Amino acid sequence: MIKEIQLRVNLIEERKENILLYKVSKKLDIPKSEISAVKILRKSIDARKKDIIFNYKVAVYINEQVSEKSDYIFEYKDVSKAKEIHIIGFGPAGMYAALRCIELGYKPVVLERGKNVQDRRRDLKAINQDHFVNEDSNYCFGEGGAGTYSDGKLYTRSLKRGDVRRIFENLVFHGATGQILVDAHPHIGTNKLPKIIENIRENILKFGGEIHFDSRVTDFKIKNNKLQAIQLQNGTEMTVNSVILATGHSARDIYELLHKKEIALKAKSFAMGVRVEHPQEIIDQIQYHCSGERDELLPAAAYSLVHQVNERGVYSFCMCPGGFIVPAATANGEVVVNGMSPSRRNNKFANSGIVVELDIDKDFKKYEQFGPLKGLEFQKDLEKIAFFAGGRTQTAPAQRLVDFVDGKLSSDLNETSYQPGLKSAPLHSLLPKIIGSRLRKGFAAFGQKMHGYHTNEANIIGVESRTSSPVNIPRKDNLEHPEIEGLFPCGEGGGYAGGIVSAAMDGERCAEAAIAKF
């Protein structure tokens, strides 16, 4: 017999050996000898009150052995001589599209503009130390996409778009720890993701798929509204049948190419703002109601904040406890910041994007001449402003939090995790009013919700501009572009995902849709 039950464990109990077995025995009123195993299905922390509680959902095996086998089996077959599906981009959407193709007996041919994870590290070092951005190899482009050097957050609300558990199980199959199957807000960590991505690459190659790095797509050959071929930057032309376009939300050249060829695009609402960085100890003390260091059993505390300002949401985005801020620009002449964390989340800083919802129909009147690219052009301009305010390098403009809210230039700045460095700048006046004024009111409100959050020990760093794509590439119910036969817009770049898991699910769906065309 197997029973699923809920358990609540306090901090003192959590330290005790076999506490779950004891609690299960007591709750079900059965002797421990009859309990074969207690399997944790879900674990979360309730820190709303001073007495912190660990919530467990467990499966209790009563006189029954636990099966160590996963319910998910990934059977890959040799597809070296099978029909080809071309995939542009090797981020989460592209990777999972390729794996799904192999499962279904089709050969994925992946074209990635950037480098593999090992070679990519040198270009990341160049951004951080030399302030030079390789436009094809950076924190956004390269093997694994923007997800490779990220926190590896796997939490998603896209539960109706596919089998979330299947995505998690596939990550475990390729080397992720089984803890991601248990945690309520799972993450992998920037230090562990590259190896998992290498394993995925090796599996794709092992079963006959192709992956071409340093292969930027520069043109689409179309005849009678049917995609015939794709052209690479080196002049190579590849005949295609079905193409999954999984280039991510920062591949602006792809949007510009499609627009130039008069292929339908839509401007899309998105969000922009800044990144805020606190000492992690401050966030721990607020969230765990403690003084000094948090209890060793507790992870670095996170937060989620939202407030309505002038009919727009101001909210936290991609919160990274125990993490660091990185330069996420994809071209020289722009400054973009993003956050990430190692698996242990043991850095001394906490950072989060704090962004403002922008309405594509109301907020971009000055950019109407750019049509569907108006949000993208607004995004570009803000990143250029940040570049000049930071001193025309990857040094980022910054301000102490209270100074920002009060409209005061900071005479000095706090220590930061951002390697290229910070320069004091009046972000309160540099940011457009639709963003800056709302952020200032939002931060003041957050300080009332989290006492101690509104402090000059925190830095505001600009700009957080790549939260999602400002462009949508439309598609029909069969996931194919409404005008171009054989083109399947996919993932974050198409406007159909908002993170690793939702992008991976969309990649699988697009693979199935592309195969259905054969």
Side-chain angles (χ1 to χ4, degrees):
M1 182 191 299
I2 303 172
K3 284 191 173 183
E4 290 187 6
I5 63 172
Q6 305 282 343
L7 298 174
R8 288 169 61 82
V9 179
N10 63 36
L11 266 174
I12 295 172
E13 292 172 328
E14 183 74 6
R15 288 185 170 81
K16 295 179 180 178
E17 192 174 353
N18 295 324
I19 186 61
L20 296 184
L21 179 61
Y22 169 80
K23 289 244 176 192
V24 166
S25 173
K26 189 174 181 180
K27 184 164 186 174
L28 296 180
D29 194 24
I30 57 175
K32 295 177 189 176
S33 59
E34 292 185 15
I35 302 171
S36 307
V38 179
K39 184 178 181 181
I40 301 171
L41 302 177
R42 183 69 66 193
K43 181 180 179 181
S44 63
I45 296 174
D46 185 349
R48 289 173 294 178
K49 298 179 181 178
K50 192 166 185 180
D51 292 329
I52 295 169
I53 297 295
F54 293 86
N55 289 315
Y56 286 93
K57 180 182 179 182
V58 300
V60 184
Y61 290 74
I62 303 169
N63 295 320
E64 186 163 341
Q65 291 303 117
V66 181
S67 173
E68 297 300 328
K69 290 184 178 180
S70 169
D71 293 334
Y72 291 81
I73 299 172
F74 300 98
E75 293 182 336
Y76 299 112
K77 56 198 78 174
D78 182 4
V79 295
S80 55
K81 296 181 181 178
K83 294 177 180 178
E84 294 180 347
I85 303 285
H86 288 75
I87 301 167
I88 304 175
F90 199 48
M95 286 191 298
Y96 271 79
L99 290 170
R100 190 66 179 137
C101 283
I102 295 173
E103 280 188 283
L104 297 175
Y106 286 75
K107 178 179 179 176
V109 178
V110 180
L111 303 164
E112 167 55 50
R113 70 191 295 161
K115 302 176 183 178
N116 63 43
V117 286
Q118 298 94 333
D119 294 341
R120 196 174 166 189
R121 287 192 178 103
R122 285 193 288 271
D123 296 312
L124 302 186
K125 184 178 178 182
I127 300 173
N128 282 297
Q129 296 185 4
D130 305 327
H131 300 246
F132 175 77
V133 181
N134 181 325
E135 296 188 5
D136 287 320
S137 179
N138 44 61
Y139 278 99
C140 290
F141 299 146
E143 185 175 24
T148 302
Y149 297 100
S150 74
D151 188 59
K153 281 182 277 293
L154 302 177
Y155 181 70
T156 181
R157 293 184 177 88
S158 303
L159 302 179
K160 295 180 180 179
R161 296 187 184 182
D163 188 344
V164 173
R165 178 76 180 203
R166 173 182 159 82
I167 302 301
F168 284 23
E169 292 275 5
N170 202 312
L171 285 168
V172 172
F173 180 80
H174 284 99
T177 171
Q179 192 64 32
I180 67 171
L181 304 175
V182 171
D183 289 342
H185 288 80
H187 75 109
I188 296 174
T190 186
N191 55 321
K192 293 187 176 181
L193 276 163
K195 181 57 182 173
I196 295 166
I197 287 162
E198 284 180 34
N199 292 342
I200 291 174
R201 177 221 306 161
E202 288 168 7
N203 232 6
I204 291 169
L205 296 175
K206 175 183 176 182
F207 290 98
E210 292 182 16
I211 303 172
H212 302 270
F213 294 110
D214 297 307
S215 299
R216 189 206 292 196
V217 172
T218 55
D219 201 5
F220 298 107
K221 305 296 182 181
I222 300 165
K223 186 176 180 181
N224 298 327
N225 293 328
K226 169 91 170 69
L227 191 55
Q228 303 281 332
I230 49 180
Q231 186 171 312
L232 306 184
Q233 191 174 33
N234 63 8
T236 300
E237 191 166 294
M238 304 177 80
T239 302
V240 298
N241 183 288
S242 292
V243 173
I244 296 171
L245 189 62
T247 48
H249 61 45
S250 289
R252 291 169 169 169
D253 55 323
I254 292 294
Y255 299 134
E256 289 162 356
L257 172 63
L258 295 175
H259 187 52
K260 182 180 177 182
K261 297 181 86 69
E262 298 184 343
I263 294 171
L265 298 172
K266 294 179 182 177
K268 173 179 150 298
S269 294
F270 60 110
M272 292 177 70
V274 294
R275 202 144 267 268
V276 61
E277 183 172 61
H278 289 79
Q280 180 64 50
E281 191 172 56
I282 289 178
I283 304 302
D284 290 341
Q285 291 171 357
I286 296 170
Q287 298 295 74
Y288 293 140
H289 323 285
C290 63
S291 58
E293 294 185 0
R294 68 180 183 271
D295 191 284
E296 62 183 1
L297 292 180
L298 296 172
Y303 61 83
S304 177
L305 292 166
V306 62
H307 185 72
Q308 290 293 315
V309 180
N310 299 334
E311 300 180 344
R312 300 293 167 78
V314 179
Y315 60 93
S316 57
F317 171 83
C318 184
M319 196 275 144
C320 299
F324 44 92
I325 298 176
V326 298
T330 52
N332 292 291
E334 63 189 31
V335 165
V336 181
V337 293
N338 197 2
M340 58 185 60
S341 303
S343 58
R344 292 176 61 196
R345 289 180 165 171
N346 56 353
N347 192 283
K348 62 181 179 179
F349 296 105
N351 72 78
S352 178
I354 303 294
V355 296
V356 177
E357 289 179 329
L358 299 175
D359 189 315
I360 203 68
D361 297 318
K362 297 178 180 179
D363 296 334
F364 302 95
K365 299 301 182 185
K366 295 180 181 178
Y367 292 81
E368 289 297 335
Q369 72 267 31
F370 297 105
L373 304 185
K374 57 186 176 181
L376 186 148
E377 292 298 325
F378 176 85
Q379 196 182 55
K380 280 185 186 178
D381 283 352
L382 200 56
E383 292 167 4
K384 288 174 187 174
I385 288 170
F387 176 76
F388 284 105
R392 302 188 182 193
T393 66
Q394 284 303 301
T395 299
Q399 202 168 357
R400 289 179 182 251
L401 193 158
V402 176
D403 291 345
F404 174 76
V405 174
D406 292 346
K408 173 186 171 186
L409 180 67
S410 299
S411 57
D412 60 0
L413 297 168
N414 299 298
E415 185 184 356
T416 182
S417 65
Y418 183 72
Q419 284 190 38
L422 304 178
K423 181 181 178 182
S424 181
L427 285 171
H428 63 276
S429 61
L430 288 173
L431 291 169
K433 207 168 184 180
I434 56 173
I435 296 174
S437 63
R438 286 186 171 95
L439 284 176
R440 292 166 72 183
K441 291 177 182 177
F443 276 120
F446 295 160
Q448 295 175 353
K449 294 179 181 181
M450 288 178 64
H451 298 295
Y453 184 91
H454 186 244
T455 172
N456 254 352
E457 290 186 62
N459 288 326
I460 301 295
I461 302 169
V463 290
E464 172 84 32
S465 52
R466 308 283 180 95
T467 59
S468 66
S469 171
V471 181
N472 169 248
I473 307 175
R475 62 190 190 189
K476 300 182 291 187
D477 290 343
N478 71 346
L479 309 189
E480 192 174 33
H481 191 277
E483 295 176 354
I484 308 301
E485 186 181 350
L487 181 64
F488 294 84
C490 182
E492 290 204 33
Y496 300 102
I500 291 172
V501 176
S502 55
M505 288 192 292
D506 202 55
E508 290 201 331
R509 291 179 65 215
C510 284
E512 293 163 2
I515 287 166
K517 288 289 292 184
F518 274 93

